[in-house]
Amino acid sequence: VGPESPLIGGIAEAFWEADLKVFGPSRAAARIEGSKVFAKELMRHAGVPTADFEAFDREAAALAYLRTLREYPTVVKADGLAGGKGVTVARSREAAEAAVRSAFAGKFGAAGERIVIEECLEGREASVFVITDGQEMLPFLPAQDYKRINDGGEGPNTGGMGAYSPLMWMDTGTYAAILEEIIRPTIHQLALIGAPYSGLLYAGVMVTDEGPKALEFNCRFGDPETQVIL
Ligand code: AMP
Ligand code: GLY
């Protein structure tokens, strides 16, 4: 199954019920991409390194929290699927407040009824894919996509304008830490809560000075990273 929406909607179950084979996670496991609040709380329980965060389902509480932050930028994320447009890296409190207000005003529909506000991470981004049956994992080489729309890394973020692999800047220790400290505990935690993950699991990570930290998980292959990996 290529895109995330049918997986999050439960297409794997529809195949199983018809006694057909399907490569992709259950609806419950696909929540790792379908809900950022779910993903962040799962990572917190599993001890996965990720940006510090708070989740909100009310605008007033989110705005009050923004007033307590001493440093900007900060990152505001819609909980649900927003076609790659649900994340705002806000350079100022005003920009963060605008992102919070537009989410609660319905810019992302139901996907924005809850939001995550998290610490802004600095470093180099990588996409790491594994195939898993819910217990073991088979990793691919890491890839990086070019997020910005214009040449020279300028302009707004996109889903990815192009990609390359392997990553000559990533040492084997960092790659091992992504597999063992981010991906393996996430797979384990999903199994523990009764939502074992089978299919392709995609970790978006930021390699920071303190080591790799998870930005997000996707329940599918990445585009355009998959082209360079395959
Ligand atoms: P996500 O959908 O969570 O991967 O966010 C989309 C993009 O926003 C990521 O690929 C990053 O470029 C950026 N981003 C997300 N979270 C953070 C963060 N905590 N710090 C810095 N950049 C982020
Ligand atoms: N290239 C980012 C993604 O597939 O989500």
Side-chain angles (χ1 to χ4, degrees):
V1 180
E4 60 279 7
S5 310
L7 290 163
I8 292 163
I11 201 171
E13 282 85 344
F15 273 71
W16 295 330
E17 280 159 20
D19 208 16
L20 295 170
K21 290 180 177 165
V22 63
F23 182 77
S26 68
R27 181 204 308 258
R31 281 185 82 201
I32 195 83
E33 175 166 4
S35 167
K36 296 205 188 276
V37 175
F38 171 79
K40 294 292 290 191
E41 285 174 352
L42 188 107
M43 286 191 258
R44 187 175 269 169
H45 285 296
V48 168
T50 187
D52 283 340
F53 74 99
E54 295 290 336
F56 299 94
D57 57 12
R58 283 160 188 251
E59 179 179 300
L63 293 175
Y65 175 74
L66 289 178
R67 286 193 286 276
T68 69
L69 291 182
R70 275 161 302 167
E71 283 181 33
Y72 281 84
T74 192
V75 183
V76 179
K77 299 184 173 186
D79 177 53
L81 292 183
K85 306 213 161 29
V87 174
T88 304
V89 179
R91 305 266 151 223
S92 64
R93 196 169 97 195
E94 292 67 34
E97 286 174 352
V100 166
R101 287 203 173 91
S102 68
F104 285 113
K107 183 176 178 194
F108 306 112
E113 284 171 0
R114 291 197 295 171
I115 61 167
V116 168
I117 300 179
E118 69 179 35
E119 174 197 9
C120 186
L121 300 177
E122 280 178 35
R124 291 177 109 158
E125 248 185 278
S127 305
V128 179
F129 302 160
V130 305
I131 288 177
T132 177
D133 61 359
Q135 293 189 317
E136 297 306 315
M137 59 188 195
L138 291 173
F140 289 86
L141 282 177
Q144 185 173 25
D145 60 357
Y146 296 101
K147 297 259 177 232
R148 302 304 188 93
I149 198 163
N150 296 326
D151 287 348
E154 303 287 335
N157 267 356
T158 68
M161 300 297 292
Y164 72 99
S165 176
L167 307 182
M168 303 310 283
W169 55 266
M170 186 185 287
D171 57 59
T172 53
T174 302
Y175 183 52
I178 293 168
L179 295 178
E180 297 304 326
E181 291 163 24
I182 293 177
I183 299 180
R184 194 184 296 281
T186 299
I187 291 171
H188 182 69
Q189 189 71 20
L190 282 164
L192 267 184
I193 65 166
Y197 192 102
S198 65
L200 187 292
L201 183 63
Y202 165 155
V205 303
M206 187 75 87
V207 180
T208 73
D209 290 344
E210 297 169 353
K213 297 189 181 185
L215 289 173
E216 63 159 351
F217 284 96
N218 294 320
C219 62
R220 50 164 174 84
F221 279 98
D223 179 13
E225 298 95 312
T226 300
Q227 288 89 323
V228 292
I229 286 171
L230 295 187

